[in-house]
């Protein structure tokens, strides 16, 4: 405001409002993969749009998937209103120190905003619009709807968007058939799909899988025995 950016910020806020309130459920499903079957129920074709994505309703997503992604990406997901202001301030201070955007500070809602509505460009304008969109999304949608949109749209590397596509791509099965270790393994990827790429950097993925399992244990989402069993899985 004092730097003379009030008009620009006001425009970003208005644009965010328009984007969210013109969105429909189809906005979050537009790229899903279609499966074509013959009259006998045999799969005869897989039609992919721009992305390989299979959409799941919230009730179809295993609870361990939700717990894992929240534990590692946004522990305060069910408490905040779309923005974690303390995390944002840490990112701002880092930007002032380093002269560029080096930390995200983004909640799950902000990540969804960035993936669906705006670009991945790291500028203060994009960050402000990301915040405004997240705040509007929290007013329009429930937490479970936002989590559903997120888990269906987030990038899991190697062309896979959404938890179901990742499950099919990396484990050749549907997400409801995965065990705890496999779920944590997949949820390790979205934070940095290049660094945690299971194809080229499986050791990195395993390290983050273990961190997710520890977080889930500390958060009371899994038992000690489940943690030890999942961590030991090859």
């Amino acid at each position: 405001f004092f730097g003379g950016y009030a008009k620009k910020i006001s425009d970003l806020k208005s644009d965010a409002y328009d984007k969210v309130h013109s969105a429909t459920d189809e906005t979050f499903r537009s790229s899903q993969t279609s499966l074509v079957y013959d009259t006998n129920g045999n799969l005869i074709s897989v039609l992919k749009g721009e992305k390989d994505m299979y959409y799941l309703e919230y009730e179809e997503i295993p609870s361990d998937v939700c717990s894992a992604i929240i534990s590692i990406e946004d522990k305060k997901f069910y408490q905040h209103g779309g923005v974690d202001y303390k995390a944002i301030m840490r990112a701002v201070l880092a930007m002032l120190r380093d002269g560029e955007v080096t930390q995200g500070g983004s909640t799950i809602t902000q990540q969804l905003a960035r993936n669906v509505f705006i670009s991945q460009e790291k500028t203060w304008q994009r960050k402000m619009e990301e915040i405004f969109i997240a705040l509007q999304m929290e007013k329009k949608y429930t937490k479970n709807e936002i989590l559903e949109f997120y888990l269906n749209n987030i990038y899991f590397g190697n062309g896979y968007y959404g938890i179901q596509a990742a499950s099919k791509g990396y484990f050749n099965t549907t997400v409801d058939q995965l065990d705890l270790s496999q779920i944590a393994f997949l949820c390790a990827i979205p934070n940095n799909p290049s660094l945690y790429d299971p194809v080229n950097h499986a050791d990195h993925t395993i390290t983050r899988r273990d961190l997710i399992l520890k977080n889930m244990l500390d958060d009371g989402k899994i038992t000690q025995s489940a943690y030890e069993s999942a961590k030991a899985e090859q």
Side-chain angles (χ1 to χ4, degrees):
F1 179 84
F2 290 107
Y5 292 101
K7 177 63 166 62
K8 178 63 176 178
I9 291 176
S10 178
D11 290 342
L12 290 171
K13 186 175 181 180
S14 296
D15 185 53
Y17 180 91
D18 292 340
K19 284 179 177 177
V20 174
H21 286 269
S22 63
T24 66
D25 287 354
E26 289 306 309
T27 302
F28 305 97
R29 298 170 180 257
S30 59
S31 299
Q32 67 179 312
T33 300
S34 298
L35 303 178
V36 182
Y37 298 88
D38 63 20
T39 54
N40 297 317
N42 300 311
L43 181 66
I44 58 175
S45 183
V46 178
L47 305 178
K48 299 179 181 179
E50 296 179 4
K51 306 172 181 177
D52 187 12
M53 170 184 164
Y54 300 84
Y55 199 91
L56 296 177
E57 302 292 339
Y58 177 79
E59 294 74 17
E60 299 175 292
I61 301 171
S63 60
D64 279 343
V65 172
C66 299
S67 296
I69 206 71
I70 288 172
S71 75
I72 195 66
E73 293 293 335
D74 187 0
K75 284 184 181 293
K76 298 178 181 178
F77 176 68
Y78 282 104
Q79 283 76 51
H80 62 63
V83 178
D84 184 341
Y85 292 102
K86 288 184 179 180
I88 291 293
M89 287 308 301
R90 287 195 297 270
V92 169
L93 292 173
M95 181 182 70
L96 293 173
R97 182 190 66 233
D98 302 329
E100 60 180 345
V101 179
T102 56
Q103 294 185 22
S106 296
T107 63
I108 280 175
T109 315
Q110 287 175 255
Q111 291 179 47
L112 177 63
R114 186 167 62 242
N115 275 272
V116 174
F117 293 103
I118 56 180
S119 70
Q120 299 287 334
E121 185 183 6
K122 291 184 177 181
T123 64
W124 72 265
Q125 293 96 330
R126 295 298 89 188
K127 195 67 179 180
M128 288 304 302
E129 188 169 18
E130 174 188 304
I131 290 170
F132 288 138
I133 290 175
L135 293 172
Q136 290 298 325
M137 288 183 66
E138 292 273 350
K139 294 177 181 178
K140 183 174 181 178
Y141 300 107
T142 67
K143 287 289 188 179
N144 288 350
E145 285 175 325
I146 290 170
L147 196 57
E148 174 187 314
F149 298 151
Y150 176 87
L151 287 167
N152 279 294
N153 283 275
I154 202 70
Y155 187 49
F156 284 83
N158 294 293
Y160 305 125
Y161 288 81
I163 191 67
Q164 184 77 310
S167 180
K168 288 174 176 285
Y170 294 118
F171 290 112
N172 196 33
T173 189
T174 54
V175 68
D176 59 303
Q177 298 300 311
L178 298 181
D179 63 25
L180 176 60
S181 180
Q182 293 169 324
I183 286 172
F185 184 84
L186 292 183
C187 289
I189 303 169
N191 182 265
N192 189 328
S194 297
L195 178 62
Y196 301 116
D197 178 0
V199 176
N200 297 309
H201 302 291
D203 55 332
H204 295 170
T205 322
I206 290 292
T207 298
R208 191 164 174 83
R209 177 206 67 175
D210 293 348
L211 175 61
I212 291 173
L213 291 171
K214 183 62 167 62
N215 283 0
M216 293 178 75
L217 175 65
D218 293 343
D219 293 342
K221 298 299 182 181
I222 58 175
T223 64
Q224 182 70 36
S225 61
Y227 164 74
E228 293 173 357
S229 177
K231 186 178 179 182
E233 184 174 313
Q234 297 297 313

